[in-house]
Amino acid sequence: MNRLLIWACMSLFVRTLLAQNVAVPDSLLRTPYDSLKIRSLANLSQNFIFIGDFDKASAYLQAAVKMNKTVRSKFCEADIISHYGLFYLHQHDTPKAVEHYLKAHELFDRHAFYRGAFLSIHKVGYAYFNEHEFNQAEKYYQKAHQYYLAHAAKLPKNFLAYVLESFAAVEGKRKNHEKALVFNERALEIYKHENDDEAYFSGMYNYALKLAHLKRTDEAAARFSEIAQYAKKAKDNYLEMYVQKGLCEVYLTINNPDEAIKVANYGIALSKNQSEQKEHQKDFHQFLSRAYEQKKDFGQALSYYRSAVALNDSVRDNEKKKAIAKIEAEFQTKQAREAAMINALNQRKIAETQQRFQIEQAEYLAMLNVQKEKQLAFIKAQSEVEKTRSIAEISTKYATEQKETKIQQLNSENQSKTRQMQWLAAGMGVLALLLGGMIFLYQKVQKQNITLATQRNQLTTQNQTISEQSNKLELMMKELHHRVKNNLQIVSSLLNLQTYNLEDKKAVQAIREGQQRIEAMSLIHQRLYQKEHLTTIDMREYLSNLVESIMKTYGHTPEDFDLTLDIQERELDVELAMPIGLIVNELVTNSFKYAYQSTHHPSLTVSLKNDNGILLDVRDNGPGIDLATWEGRKGSFGKKLIKSLSEQLGGEAQVQNDNGTWYHLHIPSTRLKTAA
């Protein structure tokens, strides 16, 4: 009863905090503590993390830490650290999130809190999965699986299903859908056996998606319908919205655009109250564009396609901001570590210098003391000898001479003492000179350290500025190529739509040839923004996609066509790749238009090599070309474009009839250096 009363008071306090929109007050820290309050504060911080209010989440976590200093609960300590892992995960700081989850796992496991230990190591895998580091994610999912097997008697069976679903997610990202299905089926069996309906239908959604990817549309549709009924009954709008995405994919696969449009519109209505609304609406607009394209309503298809592109750009801007924030956080952390390391090195050097100075000073003082002792011993010895001699002389001399001898003896002693004082004064002077020299050297070292620190700070600032400018320039160039590719695709779509209103076959053919040229340029820009290097193109991949696209356009398949691609020059600068791609586009298009009408076994060879310059060969096995027409001034736009681009590259082009048409272009290495 007392615990229920404490919980009621805590709930009232939390509602007051939310209503006033303030941080945790100190009055809470002065109330009696217990572990229930600490866990409540940690859970409240989790709610604010999910809605993105990290200031409030941090305030509740700090209050929980302060309370636990009095309670000293090991479980609460591990639980708070785990919540900090969630805090950094949602701020896209994966290294800190992993660090806290691993620390929480170690604390939970040390004190035999097996559930917390399992969930913490499993969350490490999810953190890496969220960053698309699937090998690392699989590694920690394996550790979670091993931990479950070691403590299976003390853990719920649903935890094994969690691991199996995680393996399925990794295999799905690797496109191993058959293997992923096996993991999903095992997880579903566990959920069904444990009567966990929520987990069962969530897992069934992933299972149905993989069925759709494998084109098993009937099974997928049946599963999605079953999930939709459960989602409506449980009033789970989020799950129901994702079901609509799966159904859209199924209906488009079986060519039922009307049902796909109906489902997509319902999904848009469900997405309005969800987080990441633009991301979900972008997906549904893409489904609508594909559906209207199947209905031949290209105006509507283009409209939804543009809308999807705009939404995608908006989502990419948000992701870009998150990525920049993550990079800045990592840089600040790295900078702080380097500054601490430099400071530690400076302190160590100063300490070593001081220690060396003290050792040398002690050695010198010890040497002076030894010399002083030797001098005193020598003086005493001389004094004893003189004293003995004086006594012998006094005993043999007269009484009058005894007084004179005594006076001489006293004078000798005075002189000895004077010499002793002079030696001591000289030693102290040498010591003072040595001390002054050491102080001068110490001040000189200090000035050099200050100069080095100033230069190091200047270099660090310059490196930071250069790194920031480089990252911004790279992001801008990728964004530019992405937008150019999108604009070229829109132009291509508009040209495609224009052909439906033309009856003149020559005009239609001319527009389609222009559309193919635009597609050739669009492929260049797509390759550029998908790569780390923004100035070179993988010619093997680019030319393969280009030739296969033209082949499909003219109704040929790999089974009835002999295509040979010999691309030995893999990487080319974009300034060379663009005109070479357009030349190949024109030559291959001409071959498909004129060379294979009466050829039973059509074949095409495209070769790109580097032999004292760039060598491009395109050969077909058609009837050949009229060389007189080719050499003449008149001709098609395609012929003029090929000649113009060849001259632009500074190359030497040849066209011959050799069991078909053979085009040969040689760009000398001197021209390549000039272009570079």
Side-chain angles (χ1 to χ4, degrees):
M1 182 63 71
N2 291 333
R3 185 166 291 276
L4 291 175
L5 181 59
I6 292 172
W7 174 251
C9 293
M10 191 67 187
S11 300
L12 178 60
F13 165 73
V14 170
R15 288 196 295 271
T16 304
L17 279 180
L18 294 177
Q20 295 177 352
N21 192 25
V22 296
V24 179
D26 289 339
S27 59
L28 177 62
L29 301 177
R30 293 193 293 269
T31 59
Y33 303 153
D34 63 12
S35 60
L36 179 61
K37 288 183 181 179
I38 297 171
R39 294 183 65 186
S40 299
L41 286 172
N43 291 333
L44 284 170
S45 72
Q46 177 175 301
N47 295 335
F48 286 113
I49 290 170
F50 286 147
I51 64 175
D53 193 342
F54 298 108
D55 290 336
K56 288 184 179 178
S58 178
Y60 279 103
L61 285 172
Q62 290 173 9
V65 171
K66 189 173 182 180
M67 280 190 178
N68 199 47
K69 288 181 180 178
T70 300
V71 176
R72 296 183 180 180
S73 167
K74 295 299 181 181
F75 178 86
C76 290
E77 180 184 358
D79 188 55
I80 292 169
I81 293 172
S82 178
H83 278 81
Y84 266 112
L86 182 68
F87 178 87
Y88 288 116
L89 181 66
H90 279 257
Q91 288 188 316
H92 302 280
D93 192 346
T94 302
K96 283 190 176 180
V98 169
E99 177 185 350
H100 283 80
Y101 280 140
L102 289 174
K103 187 175 180 181
H105 168 76
E106 193 272 336
L107 283 173
F108 279 130
D109 184 59
R110 188 195 308 167
H111 299 286
F113 300 125
Y114 299 110
R115 294 194 179 201
F118 171 87
L119 293 174
S120 297
I121 198 68
H122 186 264
K123 288 173 184 176
V124 174
Y126 175 76
Y128 283 117
F129 181 87
N130 201 39
E131 289 295 319
H132 302 285
E133 296 182 21
F134 301 122
N135 291 335
Q136 281 291 92
E138 184 180 33
K139 172 184 173 182
Y140 282 98
Y141 287 150
Q142 290 284 5
K143 289 186 176 181
H145 186 220
Q146 293 169 3
Y147 191 86
Y148 174 84
L149 295 177
H151 305 283
K154 300 178 180 67
L155 293 172
K157 289 187 178 179
N158 281 6
F159 283 14
L160 177 58
Y162 297 163
V163 175
L164 294 173
E165 282 202 309
S166 300
F167 288 149
V170 171
E171 296 301 332
K173 289 293 184 180
R174 294 170 174 168
K175 308 299 182 185
N176 298 330
H177 298 302
E178 292 285 356
K179 192 173 181 180
L181 274 179
V182 176
F183 288 118
N184 279 127
E185 287 173 350
R186 291 175 59 191
L188 289 175
E189 291 174 1
I190 294 172
Y191 289 139
K192 190 171 184 180
H193 182 267
E194 296 298 314
N195 295 320
D196 190 344
D197 291 339
E198 182 178 355
Y200 175 80
F201 285 101
S202 296
M204 187 186 291
Y205 174 79
N206 296 324
Y207 183 75
L209 272 182
K210 292 175 179 62
L211 290 173
H213 287 310
L214 293 171
K215 307 300 181 185
R216 293 161 61 175
T217 54
D218 292 337
E219 296 176 63
R223 296 282 184 171
F224 281 129
S225 297
E226 185 178 355
I227 300 167
Q229 292 176 5
Y230 167 78
K232 287 181 179 179
K233 182 179 178 181
K235 297 181 180 180
D236 189 344
N237 292 336
Y238 190 80
L239 179 59
E240 189 176 5
M241 178 193 67
Y242 267 93
V243 170
Q244 309 314 309
K245 291 185 181 182
L247 288 172
C248 283
E249 190 65 41
V250 171
Y251 288 132
L252 289 174
T253 303
I254 63 177
N255 201 20
N256 189 347
D258 292 327
E259 282 298 320
I261 291 170
K262 179 180 177 182
V263 170
N265 286 323
Y266 182 56
I268 291 173
L270 290 173
S271 69
K272 291 180 179 179
N273 297 323
Q274 303 295 338
S275 60
E276 300 179 348
Q277 177 181 345
K278 291 184 179 180
E279 179 70 22
H280 300 311
Q281 290 187 356
K282 177 205 71 174
D283 295 338
F284 286 117
H285 280 232
Q286 288 177 341
F287 288 130
L288 287 169
S289 177
R290 291 168 57 191
Y292 280 108
E293 187 176 0
Q294 285 187 1
K295 288 171 66 70
K296 307 299 182 184
D297 188 348
F298 297 104
Q300 282 285 79
L302 181 59
S303 175
Y304 279 109
Y305 177 77
R306 287 174 173 170
S307 178
V309 170
L311 288 168
N312 185 56
D313 288 343
S314 176
V315 172
R316 284 173 59 84
D317 287 341
N318 291 334
E319 292 176 351
K320 192 185 300 179
K321 290 177 182 177
K322 292 178 181 178
I324 291 172
K326 178 183 176 182
I327 292 170
E328 289 177 348
E330 290 177 350
F331 176 79
Q332 290 174 358
T333 301
K334 183 178 179 182
Q335 189 179 36
R337 289 176 179 172
E338 289 178 350
M341 182 178 69
I342 291 169
N343 185 47
L345 288 173
N346 288 336
Q347 293 296 329
R348 190 176 69 181
K349 288 181 179 178
I350 292 171
E352 289 176 351
T353 303
Q354 292 176 343
Q355 184 180 10
R356 187 166 59 252
F357 174 77
Q358 291 172 355
I359 292 171
E360 291 176 354
Q361 185 182 28
E363 289 176 348
Y364 181 74
L365 290 174
M367 181 184 69
L368 288 179
N369 287 329
V370 170
Q371 290 179 353
K372 184 179 73 173
E373 293 295 331
K374 288 181 178 179
Q375 289 173 356
L376 289 173
F378 177 74
I379 290 169
K380 288 180 179 179
Q382 283 184 336
S383 178
E384 291 296 329
V385 170
E386 291 293 333
K387 190 182 297 184
T388 304
R389 187 183 300 166
S390 297
I391 293 170
E393 289 177 355
I394 289 170
S395 63
T396 59
K397 290 182 179 181
Y398 297 103
T400 55
E401 292 178 352
Q402 184 178 4
K403 293 181 180 179
E404 186 179 351
T405 304
K406 188 174 182 180
I407 292 170
Q408 291 177 354
Q409 181 182 355
L410 291 172
N411 288 334
S412 177
E413 290 178 357
N414 288 333
Q415 289 176 359
S416 298
K417 290 180 179 179
T418 301
R419 285 196 299 272
Q420 180 180 356
M421 293 300 297
Q422 289 174 349
W423 279 107
L424 289 174
M428 294 300 294
V430 172
L431 177 61
L433 288 174
L434 289 174
L435 288 174
M438 293 303 294
I439 292 171
F440 173 76
L441 290 175
Y442 176 76
Q443 291 176 345
K444 188 175 180 180
V445 169
Q446 286 292 94
K447 290 180 181 179
Q448 290 178 349
N449 285 338
I450 292 171
T451 303
L452 289 174
T454 302
Q455 293 175 351
R456 189 181 298 107
N457 291 334
Q458 291 175 351
L459 289 174
T460 301
T461 303
Q462 292 174 358
N463 289 337
Q464 178 183 0
T465 302
I466 293 170
S467 177
E468 289 176 353
Q469 291 176 349
S470 175
N471 290 336
K472 289 180 181 178
L473 181 59
E474 183 178 351
L475 288 172
M476 289 172 64
M477 289 299 294
K478 287 190 176 182
E479 183 66 19
L480 176 62
H481 287 299
H482 179 248
R483 292 185 182 276
V484 170
K485 190 269 292 184
N486 286 345
N487 290 337
L488 288 174
Q489 286 187 342
I490 290 173
V491 172
S492 177
S493 299
L494 290 172
L495 290 174
N496 187 39
L497 291 172
Q498 190 65 35
T499 59
Y500 290 97
N501 297 325
L502 296 176
E503 296 181 357
D504 189 344
K505 293 184 178 180
K506 291 184 178 180
V508 171
Q509 183 63 30
I511 289 175
R512 287 181 176 171
E513 290 176 359
Q515 184 182 3
Q516 184 61 40
R517 294 182 184 110
I518 291 172
E519 290 291 339
M521 291 187 290
S522 176
L523 277 174
I524 290 283
H525 292 284
Q526 182 177 354
R527 295 294 179 277
L528 285 173
Y529 80 78
Q530 289 178 344
K531 288 181 54 179
E532 292 184 2
H533 303 291
L534 301 175
T535 58
T536 60
I537 296 295
D538 187 335
M539 295 303 292
R540 178 178 295 176
E541 183 181 358
Y542 169 58
L543 292 178
S544 297
N545 292 342
L546 179 62
V547 174
E548 289 175 1
S549 174
I550 299 171
M551 182 175 68
K552 292 179 182 178
T553 300
Y554 283 90
H556 290 278
T557 62
E559 289 76 13
D560 63 6
F561 195 87
D562 184 9
L563 175 62
T564 302
L565 295 175
D566 183 13
I567 312 300
Q568 298 180 11
E569 182 63 18
R570 292 296 301 271
E571 296 285 339
L572 280 184
D573 188 88
V574 67
E575 298 297 331
L576 289 173
M578 182 72 77
I580 288 175
L582 290 172
I583 290 173
V584 172
N585 178 71
E586 294 300 325
L587 293 171
V588 174
T589 300
N590 285 340
S591 295
F592 278 101
K593 285 172 62 178
Y594 305 115
Y596 306 131
Q597 295 178 356
S598 58
T599 303
H600 295 293
H601 299 288
S603 68
L604 177 67
T605 300
V606 178
S607 172
L608 184 65
K609 302 178 181 179
N610 191 340
D611 185 6
N612 194 23
I614 299 298
L615 297 178
L616 172 66
D617 288 291
V618 180
R619 185 192 298 269
D620 61 41
N621 65 340
I625 190 172
D626 187 347
L627 296 177
T629 302
W630 174 267
E631 297 294 337
R633 292 187 176 182
K634 297 183 179 181
S636 65
F637 174 76
K639 185 189 83 172
K640 294 178 180 178
L641 180 61
I642 292 170
K643 288 186 174 183
S644 175
L645 292 172
S646 300
E647 293 174 359
Q648 175 186 331
L649 292 170
E652 301 174 1
Q654 297 179 7
V655 179
Q656 299 179 10
N657 287 324
D658 183 11
N659 294 324
T661 303
W662 173 51
Y663 174 85
H664 175 77
L665 173 64
H666 177 228
I667 306 172
S669 57
T670 56
R671 293 288 187 180
L672 296 178
K673 294 178 181 177
T674 303

